[in-house]
Amino acid sequence: MALSCLLLGAAATEETIFRQVKIDVFDQDWPGVLRGCEEILARFPSGPSAPQAAFYRADALAHLPGREGEALAAYRRFLSDHAKETVLVEEAWSNTFRLACEQKGHTAADCAALLRQGLRSGSAYVSTLAAIRAADVEDGDLRRAAMPILRKACGTETDPEIRSHALLAILKIDPKQVPSSEGPKASATPRPTGGKGPTLIRMTVYDKDTGRYDLKINLPIAFARLLLESLGEEQRRELRQEARQKGIDLDDIFQAIEKAGAGKLLEFEDEKGRVEIWIE
């Protein structure tokens, strides 16, 4: 019986092994995924499932505690060996950015170097992901290099989630560069002649106990408008309904801000602190 099992195992085809790998991926059995992928790569290095096996091997390592460094190296090797696997390549880049910029054991320099490489990618998806990540690093040159990619993504990206992330990244780097939006609602009410309408909402929260500001926010009105427009129709409908229950008409809120003009919008103070919101 033992000999029969051994012979059956030895005769397992590439297709059979890879089928089990996909089952293990679905079950999130990462040790099983790793074993199956390494067997495929060892026995069938040029087989049709080799590119996917190389990717899933890196994915399995990324899910195994303490093996993140090996995972990053495996993803890099996959990107080098299988550049034509477009969908998997994009996912591999996303995972390398996460590993290099979020996991312990990797320096800010490692993250920045990888993001620079990503910004130069011929894939708009990869370069946009790198640009979004660049908004969270301290490297000023890298943040500036990301800005043109982020602005382009705001104008061309069709995925609302990616577009929203790009807008947030611009806000982190330089709020003044948030692109304006000229939608139907915005053009329906012309701005007052002879002057420029309000462009910025400022908010501060001051803590009297500590004697400092707990929160300072400068939110471009154009950015807030774009965020609302980037939502899907169903999401906007649900948001409008919820706001209406609280006495807020989202369709008129930006027109109301423009009509109100610059100045303090709200001020609240108690014994613990003070909240101020004003428009510029």
Side-chain angles (χ1 to χ4, degrees), residues 4-163:
S4 298
C5 290
L6 180 62
L7 290 174
L8 285 172
T13 65
E14 178 183 1
E15 182 180 359
T16 301
I17 300 170
F18 190 60
R19 187 183 303 118
Q20 183 59 48
V21 165
K22 289 190 286 187
I23 292 173
D24 290 338
V25 169
F26 181 79
D27 293 337
Q28 297 189 11
D29 177 5
W30 301 115
V33 173
L34 184 60
R35 285 193 302 270
C37 290
E38 290 184 340
E39 182 176 359
I40 290 173
L41 295 173
R43 293 178 55 192
F44 312 101
S46 301
S49 63
Q52 288 177 284
F55 174 83
Y56 284 134
R57 177 180 180 273
D59 215 24
L61 289 168
H63 285 87
L64 295 174
R67 306 193 70 174
E68 293 84 3
E70 295 176 74
L72 186 57
Y75 279 127
R76 298 301 298 270
R77 182 172 179 178
F78 167 80
L79 290 169
S80 175
D81 294 346
H82 305 288
K84 295 182 179 180
E85 301 290 328
T86 306
V87 176
L88 291 180
V89 162
E90 290 179 347
E91 190 171 349
W93 271 111
S94 177
N95 291 341
T96 57
F97 293 150
R98 176 178 56 80
L99 287 169
C101 300
E102 294 181 10
Q103 298 295 324
K104 294 180 180 179
H106 298 287
T107 65
D110 294 333
C111 173
L114 188 62
L115 292 179
R116 284 193 181 87
Q117 187 177 351
L119 291 178
R120 296 191 296 269
S121 172
S123 164
Y125 178 80
V126 173
S127 62
T128 300
L129 288 185
I132 290 170
R133 286 274 183 182
D136 294 319
V137 303
E138 296 182 0
D139 189 320
D141 291 337
L142 183 59
R143 288 158 65 92
R144 283 188 289 273
M147 184 60 74
I149 297 174
L150 294 170
R151 289 179 60 84
K152 182 178 179 180
C154 287
T156 61
E157 181 56 59
T158 57
D159 186 320
E161 185 175 358
I162 295 178
R163 188 165 178 255

